[in-house]
Amino acid sequence: MRNIEKYRNAFINVLDLEEDDVCEDLALGVTREWDSIGHMTLISEIEDVFDVSLDSEWITEFDSYLSGIEILKRLGVDFD
C-alpha cells in the first residue's frame, strides 16, 4: 500500500469518515469529526502507521490534511 493510501486510511479509520469525505479541504475544527480528541487520536495513528514521532510544535502545525502531508515529508515519508 502506498503512503498516501495509508495516510487517507488513517483519516477514514480514526475520524470514521467515508472514503469520499477525505479530501484536501479537511481541517481541524472545520470537519465535525476532527475535534480535539479526534486530533490526538489521529496523531497517534499517524505516528504508528509511519513509525514517526511528532513533537508538540508539529502537532499544533498539523491542522489540515495537506499540512499533515508536509510534516510527514519533512520527517522523510515519501508521498511520490
Side-chain angles (χ1 to χ4, degrees):
M1 180 180 299
R2 294 175 36 219
N3 285 335
I4 192 67
E5 293 166 332
K6 292 178 186 178
Y7 185 70
R8 286 178 55 83
N9 285 340
F11 280 84
I12 291 167
N13 296 334
V14 169
L15 301 179
D16 197 29
L17 298 172
E18 297 297 323
E19 194 166 325
D20 292 343
D21 294 334
V22 180
C23 65
E24 294 180 352
D25 295 336
L26 279 176
L28 174 64
V30 175
T31 305
R32 182 177 52 84
E33 297 83 358
W34 194 353
D35 57 11
S36 59
I37 294 170
H39 186 63
M40 294 314 296
T41 307
L42 183 60
I43 293 295
S44 177
E45 176 75 4
I46 286 173
E47 287 179 328
D48 288 345
V49 167
F50 293 103
D51 194 27
V52 297
S53 180
L54 300 177
D55 64 26
S56 59
E57 180 181 331
W58 284 345
I59 290 171
T60 303
E61 195 177 313
F62 186 171
D63 61 359
S64 70
Y65 183 84
L66 292 177
S67 68
I69 291 173
E70 291 306 313
I71 290 166
L72 287 170
K73 283 181 179 179
R74 286 188 283 185
L75 290 168
V77 177
D78 182 18
F79 281 94
D80 295 323

